[in-house]
């Protein structure tokens, strides 16, 4: 009986660990208790998007299995690295990778700095990811981030998802889509949030036309003088 009880506890821990990989712990706890998860407003968070440069053409030259293997290698690398930062991985959509800081657990004014350091890490890390079927090839990342307010909540009953909503999400996505290979494109809102630490190397990009937003003043995040990426 004791052995069966230990086995049951072990299986329950495994199930909970798996659930916590898919949903925030606080949300998973409410769902386990069959409670309704209320949507929540967040005044300030920082959202990061990235995708692979030329992914469509790369995928066209690969078998489906090779595409999955390539993306798995990439995301295992990213997933491992983001554990060093106070961030939450929202989801992956194809070759797009979405991360947020400042929710579900609020972290004061740290969110922009956490995303900035993580972004520098991921842009450096992508060059080290080996593509099994393209040993001489190297992936390039296009990244963008924005700071602002958003709403977060659980949608769906089967395979429920923790989703973010609001203009901040759209703007962060636009920062990524108008970025360049191996560059981190940030909005003026995120730039201002990073000014509390003068260690960042930031370059003015200037005013650019952003779909649905008009002209926006944006910047390139180049590095941090007091921080080096993980080996």
């Amino acid at each position: 009986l004791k052995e069966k009880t230990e086995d049951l506890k072990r299986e329950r821990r495994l199930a909970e660990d798996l659930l916590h990989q898919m949903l925030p712990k606080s949300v998973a706890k409410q769902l386990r208790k069959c409670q309704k998860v209320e949507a929540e407003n967040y005044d300030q968070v920082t959202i990061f998007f990235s995708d692979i440069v030329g992914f469509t053409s790369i995928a066209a030259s690969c078998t489906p299995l090779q595409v999955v293997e390539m993306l798995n290698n990439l995301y295992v690398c990213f997933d491992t690295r983001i554990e060093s930062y106070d961030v939450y991985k929202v989801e992956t959509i194809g070759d797009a990778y979405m991360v947020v800081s400042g929710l579900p657990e609020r972290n004061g004014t740290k969110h922009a700095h956490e995303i900035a350091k993580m972004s520098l890490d991921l842009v450096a890390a992508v060059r080290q990811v080996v593509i099994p079927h393209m040993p001489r090839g190297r992936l390039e990342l296009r990244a963008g981030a924005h700071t602002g307010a958003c709403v977060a909540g659980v949608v769906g009953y089967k395979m429920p998802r923790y989703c973010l909503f609001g203009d901040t999400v759209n703007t962060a996505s636009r920062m990524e889509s108008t970025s360049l290979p191996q560059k981190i494109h940030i909005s003026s809102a995120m730039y201002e949030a990073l000014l509390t630490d003068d260690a960042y190397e930031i370059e003015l990009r200037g005013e650019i036309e952003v779909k649905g937003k008009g002209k926006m003043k944006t910047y390139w995040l180049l590095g941090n003088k007091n921080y080096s990426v993980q080996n």
Side-chain angles (χ1 to χ4, degrees):
L1 185 62
K2 186 179 178 182
E3 284 179 9
K4 290 289 183 186
T5 304
E6 287 302 317
D7 287 343
L8 189 62
K9 285 181 180 178
R10 196 178 304 112
E11 290 299 322
R12 185 174 180 178
R13 279 196 300 270
L14 287 171
E16 286 182 357
D17 288 344
L18 181 60
L19 185 61
H20 294 159
Q21 297 297 328
M22 301 167 70
L23 292 166
K25 286 184 180 180
S26 56
V27 171
K29 187 177 180 181
Q30 292 178 70
L31 289 176
R32 282 204 310 272
K33 292 180 178 179
C34 298
Q35 295 174 348
K36 184 182 178 183
V37 181
E38 296 292 342
E40 207 166 342
N41 277 302
Y42 294 86
D43 293 333
Q44 283 281 294
V45 301
T46 300
I47 299 172
F48 166 93
F49 279 95
S50 71
D51 74 355
I52 300 303
V53 178
F55 177 75
T56 304
S57 57
I58 294 172
S61 64
C62 308
T63 66
L65 190 60
Q66 287 171 333
V67 173
V68 172
E69 188 177 18
M70 175 178 65
L71 286 178
N72 186 57
N73 285 349
L74 177 69
Y75 292 153
V76 166
C77 171
F78 282 8
D79 290 349
T80 303
R81 284 173 176 268
I82 69 171
E83 288 179 358
S84 301
Y85 307 97
D86 183 11
V87 299
Y88 174 74
K89 175 184 169 184
V90 182
E91 62 183 342
T92 58
I93 309 165
D95 65 318
Y97 196 79
M98 181 184 180
V99 182
V100 64
S101 182
L103 66 79
E105 302 299 328
R106 290 173 173 80
N107 57 5
T109 58
K110 284 174 54 184
H111 48 86
H113 300 280
E114 293 297 311
I115 289 292
K117 290 184 286 188
M118 181 208 75
S119 302
L120 294 166
D121 196 347
L122 297 190
V123 166
V126 72
R127 305 297 288 168
Q128 301 169 26
V129 176
V130 177
I131 312 171
H133 60 282
M134 294 169 60
R136 293 184 183 178
R138 280 293 179 268
L139 298 174
E140 288 185 309
L141 203 67
R142 181 170 45 229
H146 174 58
T147 298
C150 84
V151 173
V154 175
V155 296
Y157 172 68
K158 292 191 175 182
M159 292 184 66
R161 287 176 58 221
Y162 186 67
C163 295
L164 311 187
F165 303 93
D167 189 58
T168 300
V169 180
N170 299 330
T171 305
S173 178
R174 296 290 184 225
M175 290 299 100
E176 178 274 316
S177 62
T178 53
S179 186
L180 294 173
Q182 290 302 102
K183 290 275 198 177
I184 303 164
H185 190 205
I186 65 172
S187 65
S188 54
M190 182 170 175
Y191 167 73
E192 288 167 13
L194 293 177
L195 288 180
T196 54
D197 184 348
D198 63 0
Y200 289 101
E201 296 171 31
I202 299 174
E203 180 182 281
L204 176 66
R205 182 180 189 180
E207 282 197 345
I208 64 163
E209 189 70 31
V210 178
K211 185 179 178 182
K213 304 292 294 181
K215 287 195 177 295
M216 288 185 70
K217 188 178 181 181
T218 63
Y219 299 81
W220 298 118
L221 173 62
L222 304 176
N224 186 312
K225 288 169 276 192
N226 300 332
Y227 174 80
S228 58
V229 298
Q230 299 175 36
N231 210 335

